Amino acid sequence: MTWLPALPALPVLVTAGVALHAFRLRRRLAPLRRVDVAGRGGEPLCWDGTRAAGGGDEPYGLITVDGAVLSGPARRAAAAYARERGLQVLDLVPADLPVDRAFDLARTVDAAAYRTDPVARGRGAGFATIVDVGLLERAGARAGALDAGEYAALTVRLRQYAEQVPDADGTAFAADLAVVPCHTTPRAGHCRARAAWLRGLGVSVARTVGGSMLGYAAVLAALLSDPAWGPVAALAYCAAPYAVFAGTPVSPRDLHSGALLRLVRTPWTWWRTLTGPPSAYDRRRAERVERARRAYRPDLAQGVLRFLEPRRDDCPWCGSRTLRKLLTSGDVVQAKPGRFTVERCGGCGHVFQNPRLTEAGLAFHHRDLSDGLGAEEFERLAAARAGASTAPAPNWSPDT
């Protein structure tokens, strides 16, 4: 086999990495189903998803991002799809979603786990959502159009409020995603308010753009390292949109240009995402952060060690002194200052925080958690805990 040419390592590795990543994204989108719009005539629907006067009310409302327009037949079909499957939340994915937003969808949503994973976030395509009107009331929301950040945050919130329902494989949530096979996405620039949308979903804009930059840099490095084999990596990078979306329910309207011009369009996408003007959602969130900084400044000036009790040497359940440290971490929910240690008892297996928070510490860390800057994460964790209520209770106590 000595007659085979030696393949340069970097271009081969980059090509393989691009192919594997495309395969992973394609698998995440594969479970998406289409909504059958054909033959959905009848009375027109109001903007909020209810039937017009004289037609009787549908039990669903419609939430959209600013600029999105969903046709009457598509709305009727989506409501029927949700009703037939007992869904309370149905996030609608336009079949013609632009390439960059379709990539965002594939990166942030695992369609197979959306209904069954209790800790899965309610992320979607950022376009429109059919919602049970009762759930809207429980979530303190109402039908209508929202800016990108507000819509994304509400998408997360609605998935958390969806009830659990019996499923063939166990417990599932009355929430799902489906593709609307009609050309309904806004024709405005696909990067407009993208940063606000990602932040509303709880996705790091810096990490999203940074990951794209790293992949792009790897392709450029492969091109520069070997003029003969480097173009193979570039070709694989440009062909990735076809590998991800061809033959799937999502058919981006700019698939060909998005693939052929990907090396040029990708840096432009970074620039538009990072330099876009702040949305109303961004401005309101910045104001809340600044108010929180001013409120917390006196507490932080005194230090945070005073929020912890002295460490105990024995288990609060069985009294055993065979304690073993499991982990030490910061505040992963709100990123407030402080380090927290979790230990396991060797006698009874009890897991607990040691040292635990004082009453003042509990007040400090619970402030803003359920109704402020940490509300979305708090609700996600609460939903996860409720979703696990049918499983054996974990041997976990954060405060004892």
Side-chain angles (χ1 to χ4, degrees), residues 3-46:
W3 54 272
L4 288 176
L7 298 179
L10 184 58
V12 171
L13 289 175
V14 171
T15 301
V18 170
L20 288 174
H21 185 57
F23 176 73
R24 172 179 169 271
L25 296 183
R26 184 181 180 88
R27 286 192 62 183
R28 292 170 70 90
L29 293 179
L32 288 175
R33 306 284 182 114
R34 283 180 177 264
V35 173
D36 183 13
V37 177
R40 294 288 180 179
E43 305 91 343
L45 292 180
C46 300

Side-chain angles (χ1 to χ4, degrees), residues 42-359:
E43 305 91 343
L45 292 180
C46 300
W47 177 254
D48 64 357
T50 58
R51 290 195 181 278
D57 288 339
E58 279 284 347
Y60 292 99
L62 179 67
I63 305 293
T64 71
V65 71
D66 277 335
V69 177
L70 189 63
S71 68
R75 277 181 277 175
R76 280 186 287 274
Y81 182 99
R83 184 175 58 252
E84 290 163 3
R85 289 160 178 79
L87 300 176
Q88 295 177 324
V89 179
L90 179 63
D91 194 273
L92 303 181
V93 179
D96 66 340
L97 198 64
V99 164
D100 293 313
R101 294 301 292 266
F103 269 122
D104 286 337
L105 174 69
R107 295 186 192 104
T108 58
V109 177
D110 185 344
Y114 189 89
R115 292 200 69 192
T116 58
D117 185 356
V119 296
R121 282 182 176 270
R123 293 167 177 168
F127 167 65
T129 307
I130 293 287
V131 190
D132 177 85
V133 291
L135 186 145
L136 275 174
E137 293 176 1
R138 294 198 302 274
R142 61 182 180 178
L146 301 169
D147 77 28
E150 291 176 331
Y151 173 77
L154 183 56
T155 301
V156 175
R157 184 178 178 87
L158 291 173
R159 165 59 166 72
Q160 294 162 354
Y161 275 78
E163 295 177 358
Q164 295 185 6
V165 293
D167 188 77
D169 300 322
T171 301
F173 287 84
D176 209 349
L177 305 99
V179 176
V180 183
C182 51
H183 302 284
T184 50
T185 51
R187 260 36 190 181
H190 57 273
C191 290
R192 184 171 65 89
R194 181 189 180 215
W197 175 66
L198 290 171
R199 280 191 285 268
L201 292 179
V203 176
S204 168
V205 177
R207 187 174 299 174
T208 299
V209 174
S212 177
M213 288 180 174
L214 286 176
Y216 191 88
V219 173
L220 289 184
L223 272 172
L224 296 175
S225 68
D226 191 295
W229 288 96
V232 176
L235 182 62
Y237 183 76
C238 291
Y242 290 113
V244 175
F245 304 113
T248 70
V250 179
S251 303
R253 63 174 181 257
D254 59 345
L255 179 60
H256 300 310
S257 61
L260 297 176
L261 302 177
R262 195 177 183 202
L263 286 172
V264 177
R265 282 182 41 160
T266 299
W268 176 82
T269 299
W270 304 334
W271 182 79
R272 287 293 305 273
T273 300
L274 296 175
T275 61
S279 69
Y281 172 83
D282 290 325
R283 291 191 293 270
R284 282 191 292 271
R285 186 169 180 82
E287 292 171 359
R288 290 166 61 195
V289 169
E290 184 55 35
R291 287 197 301 269
R293 283 201 182 101
R294 290 196 298 266
Y296 281 107
R297 197 167 289 132
D299 284 327
L300 297 179
Q302 302 177 54
V304 295
L305 292 179
R306 62 194 177 92
F307 293 141
L308 295 174
E309 294 182 352
R311 180 186 177 276
R312 62 184 303 157
D313 298 323
D314 60 341
C315 173
W317 279 16
C318 70
S320 172
R321 291 181 176 273
T322 56
L323 304 181
R324 180 170 60 88
K325 181 188 296 185
L326 286 183
L327 61 92
T328 298
S329 172
D331 183 348
V332 298
V333 176
Q334 299 186 91
K336 290 182 179 179
R339 302 291 292 175
F340 311 97
T341 299
V342 175
E343 298 185 342
R344 182 190 297 275
C345 173
C348 66
H350 178 49
V351 176
F352 62 102
Q353 181 181 312
N354 191 19
R356 68 179 185 176
L357 291 167
T358 63
E359 289 188 8

